[in-house]
Amino acid sequence: MARALKAFINSFALHRNLVKVREITQNKKVLAMIKANGYGHGIVNVAKSLQEADAFGVACIEEAVELREAGIQNRIVLMEGFFDAEAELPEIFRLNLEPVVHHESHIGALASCENPLRIWLKINTGMNRLGFPVDLVHPIRAKIAENPALSIAGYLTHFAKADEVDNPFTQRQIEKFEATIQHLPEEKSLANSAAILAVKNSHGDWVRPGIMLYGVSPFPKRHGALEGLIPVMSLRSALIAIQSLAKGEIVGYGGDFVCPHAMRIGVVAVGYGDGYPRLAPTGTPILVNGKRTVLVGRVSMDMVAVDLNAQPEAKVGDIVELWGEKLPVETVAEAIGTTAYELLTGLSTRVPLEIIG
Ligand SMILES: *Cc1c(COP(=O)(O)O)cnc(C)c1O
């Protein structure tokens, strides 16, 4: 029997979550963010499940190549533009990709470009990561207009604090963006998942949902179902051994966990080599046969241990859910002190993805 660990990807849920985005935004265009291997869900299958998206957003040309080679024909935006003009521009033309232009070096590289190219212009309104300062937007736009091969698809900005509902910083970013581009005819895009859900005046012409497409809430202390979303990934494994231990015996490396009383311990085939964080502490929730229990002791490369005291009937081969439909990845992330984004994108290539639905 193969190792039981698998990430089940519910493609129907992906589709439903996109429908939800359209409902909330009253049919704004959707630039579906599928960077980082579709947030760990498998970029090609995610793209196929989200075919009706108006465009896909990826972080780099390698991700775009993978999509085109799999036959994906949707528009694709390179969210960080290109890193090496000489190497990437020929591919960008060949694959009909749309780079985000966010830096002076991009302008120089594109000045002499002869192939028709659609670009997006990124504006920095306070996140201070990528984008032109607002006072350079009009000069840059004029410079781009000098080359008839180039056309601007739209303007982007990105929020730093949209997950902090009602933080006035977000409205200040919106005001800065609008004051800069309000009379320009091209399309506008501001909103990530948090802004789609909580900042109605940020929807612009295009929204850019990421985490919500995967059924996950962008807000602290919440989970996808509360936003009307369906979780897409269920990470499941199985019990591969059971230990009956006396009070005072240890579990795992370093003996960090010492049994406070006689214990039945289950060993599960998942570890940090799969992307389950080594720093997950004793007490992190885990489901065995659909019932909630906790991780005990240190996470190993290929295994973790769970408390089976409340489940005397549990046996080798029984199903374990690390996160998913019945145990929100947000809840697990919070117990570990990280985010659902990091857990999902951190799955290693050793974990097979199985598409269902
Ligand atoms: C990743 C990303 C998003 C999506 O963010 P979520 O919080 O996952 O919705 C939107 N815009 C940009 C520029 C991004 O890089």
Side-chain angles (χ1 to χ4, degrees), residues 19 28 34 37 53 61 94 136 156 161 180 190 192 197 212 232 285 300 314 353:
V19 168
K28 293 295 164 78
I34 60 172
N37 196 29
I61 196 157
R94 185 174 71 84
L136 283 187
L156 310 173
K161 305 187 185 181
T180 310
L190 310 86
N192 57 4
L197 290 162
M212 70 184 292
V232 173
S300 303
L353 303 175

Side-chain angles (χ1 to χ4, degrees), residues 39-231:
Y39 284 47
H41 295 64
I43 193 165
V44 169
N45 283 307
V46 168
K48 287 181 177 163
S49 305
L50 296 176
Q51 268 180 39
E52 65 270 49
D54 301 285
F56 291 125
V58 299
C60 57
I61 196 157
E62 289 79 3
E63 293 178 330
V65 168
E66 199 178 337
L67 292 172
R68 287 287 185 251
E69 281 178 355
I72 302 296
Q73 292 177 1
N74 303 53
R75 292 171 64 179
I76 299 178
V77 180
L78 299 172
M79 301 307 295
E80 295 171 24
F82 45 84
F83 308 91
D84 175 346
E86 209 181 322
E88 293 176 50
L89 279 176
E91 283 287 273
I92 287 174
F93 298 130
R94 185 174 71 84
L95 300 175
N96 192 18
L97 309 177
E98 303 177 22
V100 167
V101 166
H102 61 78
H103 195 264
E104 296 277 1
S105 63
H106 290 143
I107 304 293
L110 292 174
S112 57
C113 133
E114 288 171 359
N115 299 54
L117 182 67
R118 190 146 56 174
I119 61 171
W120 294 75
L121 211 61
K122 182 97 180 237
I123 305 177
N124 176 16
T125 55
M127 173 88 166
N128 296 333
R129 205 175 53 176
L130 299 183
F132 295 100
V134 290
D135 51 333
L136 283 187
V137 170
H138 287 266
I140 295 276
R141 184 173 182 274
K143 177 97 190 133
I144 290 169
E146 286 170 16
N147 182 345
L150 301 177
S151 62
I152 297 179
Y155 302 93
L156 310 173
T157 196
H158 195 45
F159 296 125
K161 305 187 185 181
D163 57 325
E164 298 171 23
V165 176
D166 294 331
N167 188 315
F169 195 81
T170 303
Q171 289 303 327
R172 286 208 293 276
Q173 287 195 266
I174 294 173
E175 284 157 21
K176 239 180 147 176
F177 185 71
E178 292 194 333
T180 310
I181 48 79
Q182 58 183 343
H183 299 302
L184 299 178
E186 295 87 6
E187 294 183 305
K188 285 107 194 169
S189 173
L190 310 86
N192 57 4
S193 298
I196 289 168
L197 290 162
V199 191
K200 300 289 178 217
N201 67 333
S202 72
H203 293 173
D205 300 300
W206 287 78
V207 291
R208 305 193 305 272
I211 199 77
M212 70 184 292
L213 293 173
Y214 308 95
V216 173
S217 174
F219 305 114
K221 314 262 183 210
R222 288 181 64 87
H223 57 269
L226 297 174
E227 326 291 358
L229 304 167
I230 310 174

Side-chain angles (χ1 to χ4, degrees), residues 262-289:
M263 283 186 83
R264 220 167 160 251
I265 294 289
V267 179
V268 184
V270 67
Y272 63 78
D274 304 298
Y276 191 89
R278 204 188 75 92
L279 293 177
T282 291
T284 303
I286 290 189
L287 300 183
V288 177
N289 294 317

